[in-house]
């Protein structure tokens, strides 16, 4: 792959809305991505392998639990710093951001929010340091957009729970040390359970042949009469609202992350358009190419402002789930469109691994589906503004 010459666009001086801490955190993540991710990511994506050696670095830049309190090993940062870290990591690769999102918002967050003090102390510091990698099991083969229908279940056996069922499409599953798994009890109520690798009857086969998120490992979680100790139940929240609450935090991070992927595609296309000569002049001098670039920077700028405002609302504890859905939906579609336009601007070179664009485009095909599909987020907005439920 070409050297990483990335320069972040900031057309509306959004940096002026950031604190010194935000910029320090963002710049540290940006430098780390240039140094540790960009040089290797194409090779790992081609090999369909997660680069495990970057886990320690992810922990060091605060990507595991950015907003989890310091007493539990988190970085204790605010929501905008969290978002900026996700932006920078996804600028490198959506699959790497996936690992960080799952670890922070789908594993550490539920243990912090719904777990007891013993569970927090036992798991959070190790997850923050990257000594444990976690995964989050909500989706099932027959229940994706409609997780309320899940059939994975546990029975109270007196001194332990007996867990049965299967989860599908689970990021980090093939090598995760712990899984936060959502399952129904005998009354049909959804609870979170911490399942650890090594428990008898628990297996995590890898999902192969993905054309997307190739540098992120995806797998199944299979529970065949797994004995789960009673102390592994997350006691402080039950019902579908518990996993959906985690998704709010992860979807917010994705809204920022998608801006990073879009920025990388735009920056690559802009540079290429000034260097590539056709018909005796740089292709960036043709109106059709300028239209693409001008529309890209307009959309990136709009997304930056939308997402910064969402971050302020999150910091104030005022952001609604529907506002988060709007940002996730808008920004991922924006990034995917920019990746497609940027790929065209590079002509034949756009399909090669010499440039990051095709990898971003393929990755974003997953990002637009996971954490709630594009259509599901539209229906969430529709319900919010009309009060009428179009899901069912
Ligand atoms: P509904 O009746 O609307 O709600 C059930 C209960 O949940 C509450 N609730 C929420 N709570 C917190 N945050 C949210 N975003 C919430 N949305 C709803 C709601 O108030 C209610 O509470 P209560 O107390 O009244 O029971 O539920 P529904 O069955 O009608 O479903 C609604 C729908 C379709 C929006 C929801 O199920 C949904 O979001 N579906 C999409 C599923 C999804 O996003 N799955 C993601 C799996 S994880 C993943 O993809 C990780 S990829 C990670 C990576 O690699 O980066
Ligand atoms: P379906 O729900 O079957 O949807 C198929 C189509 O129908 C979609 O277009 C959808 O929008 C549409 N549709 C569904 N319901 C409606 C409706 N009511 N109205 C209109 N249209 C509708 N899950 C986890 O739990 N943990 C993970 O770590 C995780 N990681 C993932 C990683 C990858 C790479 C991928 C691809 C997925 C991951 N997922 C994970 C699963 C992801 O969240 C689901 O794929 C997603 O929620 C959609 O579910 P589905 O694939 O079953 O599609």
């Amino acid at each position: 792959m070409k050297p990483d010459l990335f320069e972040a666009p900031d057309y509306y001086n959004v940096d002026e809305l950031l604190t010194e801490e935000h910029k320090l955190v963002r710049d540290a993540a940006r430098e780390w991505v240039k140094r540790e991710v960009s040089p290797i990511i194409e090779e790992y994506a081609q090999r369909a392998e997660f680069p495990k050696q970057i886990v320690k670095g992810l922990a060091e830049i605060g990507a595991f639990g950015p907003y989890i309190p310091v007493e539990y090993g988190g970085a204790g940062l605010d929501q905008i710093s969290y978002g900026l870290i996700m932006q920078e990591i996804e600028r490198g690769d959506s699959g790497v951001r996936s690992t960080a999102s799952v670890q922070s918002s789908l594993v550490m967050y539920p243990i912090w929010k719904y777990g007891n003090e013993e569970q927090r102390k036992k798991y959070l510091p190790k997850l923050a340091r990257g000594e444990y990698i976690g995964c989050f099991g909500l989706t099932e083969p027959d229940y994706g957009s409609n997780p309320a229908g899940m059939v994975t279940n546990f029975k109270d056996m007196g001194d332990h729970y007996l867990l049965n069922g299967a989860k599908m499409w689970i990021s980090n599953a093939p090598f995760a040390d712990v899984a936060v798994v959502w399952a129904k009890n005998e009354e049909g109520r959804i609870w979170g359970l911490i399942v650890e690798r090594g428990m008898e009857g628990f297996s995590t086969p890898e999902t192969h042949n993905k054309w997307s998120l190739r540098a992120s490992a995806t797998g199944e979680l299979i529970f065949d009469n797994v004995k789960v100790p009673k102390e592994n139940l997350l006691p402080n929240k039950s019902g579908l609202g518990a996993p959906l609450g985690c998704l709010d935090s992860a979807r917010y991070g994705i809204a920022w992350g998608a801006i990073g992927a879009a920025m990388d595609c735009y920056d690559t296309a802009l540079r290429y358009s000034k260097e590539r000569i056709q018909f005796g002049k740089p292709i960036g001098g043709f109106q059709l190419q300028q239209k693409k670039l001008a529309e890209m920077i307009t959309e990136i700028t709009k997304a930056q402002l939308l997402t910064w405002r969402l971050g302020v609302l999150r910091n104030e504890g005022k952001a609604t789930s529907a506002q988060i859905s709007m940002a996730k939906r808008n920004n991922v579609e924006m990034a995917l469109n920019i990746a497609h336009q940027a790929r065209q601007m590079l002509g034949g070179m756009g399909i090669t691994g010499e440039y990051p664009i095709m990898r971003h485009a393929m990755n974003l095909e997953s990002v637009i589906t996971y954490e709630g599909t594009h259509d599901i987020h539209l229906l969430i907005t529709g319900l919010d503004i009309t009060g009428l439920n179009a899901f069912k």
Side-chain angles (χ1 to χ4, degrees):
M1 199 164 92
K2 298 257 188 231
D4 184 353
L5 303 172
F6 177 69
E7 285 174 45
D10 185 12
Y11 203 71
Y12 261 42
N13 302 342
V14 175
D15 260 26
E16 290 177 12
L17 299 172
L18 305 179
T19 64
E20 285 311 306
E21 180 174 77
H22 294 151
K23 285 185 265 191
L24 277 173
V25 166
R26 191 260 326 265
D27 293 348
R30 184 170 293 168
E31 282 313 306
W32 178 80
V33 167
K34 273 199 177 185
R35 205 174 55 244
E36 304 292 337
V37 178
S38 300
I40 57 145
I41 196 64
E42 178 63 28
E43 187 192 332
Y44 277 82
Q46 294 280 359
R47 293 209 312 249
E49 189 181 327
F50 173 71
K52 289 196 183 135
Q53 70 275 24
I54 65 172
V55 163
K56 192 162 172 285
L58 278 167
E60 283 166 5
I61 60 164
F64 294 157
Y67 54 84
I68 300 286
V70 174
E71 62 178 304
Y72 300 118
L77 298 167
D78 77 348
Q79 289 291 313
I80 292 180
S81 288
Y82 161 44
L84 287 164
I85 293 173
M86 296 299 120
Q87 172 187 291
E88 295 307 315
I89 297 176
E90 191 145 3
R91 208 280 297 172
D93 189 78
S94 305
V96 178
R97 197 269 307 134
S98 258
T99 292
S101 290
V102 170
Q103 184 90 342
S104 298
S105 291
L106 300 183
V107 178
M108 296 177 74
Y109 178 87
I111 294 174
W112 174 46
K113 281 285 176 187
Y114 315 144
N116 58 34
E117 199 53 20
E118 292 76 55
Q119 291 166 336
R120 291 185 196 122
K121 286 192 174 128
K122 179 173 176 189
Y123 295 104
L124 293 179
K126 285 191 170 141
L127 288 159
R129 291 194 295 267
E131 288 166 28
Y132 277 178
I133 291 293
C135 69
F136 175 89
L138 181 65
T139 305
E140 299 188 357
D142 292 331
Y143 297 96
S145 297
N146 177 26
M150 70 172 68
V151 292
T152 297
N153 64 87
F154 62 99
K155 288 195 172 71
D156 190 336
M157 305 304 282
D159 63 341
H160 64 270
Y161 298 119
L162 202 61
L163 177 65
N164 278 289
K167 301 287 177 180
M168 191 179 179
W169 294 119
I170 308 304
S171 301
N172 297 350
F175 54 79
D177 304 284
V178 291
V180 170
V181 177
W182 301 95
K184 284 180 178 165
N185 69 6
E186 285 144 292
E187 288 79 49
R189 185 88 184 152
I190 295 172
W191 289 88
L193 295 161
I194 304 170
V195 179
E196 297 191 23
R197 184 169 295 284
M199 287 181 177
E200 207 179 321
F202 174 42
S203 57
T204 61
E206 183 157 0
T207 303
H208 295 289
N209 293 331
K210 290 183 302 171
W211 284 99
S212 174
L213 283 194
R214 288 173 62 79
S216 159
T218 314
E220 295 167 60
L221 304 176
I222 297 174
F223 314 104
D224 179 11
N225 284 321
V226 180
K227 281 186 187 175
V228 180
K230 284 202 151 171
E231 63 264 26
N232 284 26
L233 180 110
L234 298 175
N236 293 336
K237 192 165 167 82
S238 64
L240 188 60
L244 291 180
C246 309
L247 294 182
D248 270 2
S249 179
R251 290 167 177 173
Y252 166 76
I254 290 175
W256 281 94
I259 297 173
M263 282 177 169
D264 202 35
C265 294
Y266 165 78
D267 181 60
T268 304
L270 178 63
R271 189 170 301 107
Y272 191 85
S273 78
K274 293 181 196 168
E275 290 167 358
R276 176 70 177 165
I277 311 288
Q278 288 294 291
F279 298 94
K281 67 177 189 182
I283 59 167
F286 296 115
Q287 285 186 352
L288 285 173
Q289 306 312 318
Q290 287 191 3
K291 176 174 187 290
K292 292 189 183 76
L293 291 166
E295 287 176 351
M296 285 182 208
I297 192 61
T298 306
E299 291 307 315
I300 289 170
T301 304
K302 282 153 66 179
Q304 282 178 303
L305 292 168
L306 177 82
T307 315
W308 174 81
R309 174 66 187 149
L310 184 64
V312 172
L313 291 174
R314 293 266 299 171
N315 277 342
E316 293 170 354
K318 292 198 286 203
T320 66
S321 299
Q323 286 170 334
I324 295 166
S325 281
M326 180 184 280
K328 191 268 184 185
R329 181 174 186 276
N330 179 77
N331 292 8
V332 178
E333 183 180 48
M334 173 279 297
L336 194 50
N337 288 340
I338 286 178
H340 290 155
Q341 294 295 313
R343 200 222 59 70
Q344 287 196 51
M345 286 190 65
L346 268 71
M349 289 312 290
I351 69 149
T352 73
E354 286 294 299
Y355 295 91
I357 296 175
M358 192 71 175
R359 180 168 44 78
H360 283 306
M362 301 297 266
N363 284 343
L364 290 162
E365 293 292 343
S366 286
V367 182
I368 204 163
T369 286
Y370 67 32
E371 301 269 9
T373 67
H374 198 59
D375 287 342
I376 289 295
H377 288 297
L378 178 132
L379 295 176
I380 290 171
T381 306
L383 170 59
D384 195 48
I385 58 179
T386 65
L388 302 169
N389 188 330
F391 289 107
K392 301 170 188 172

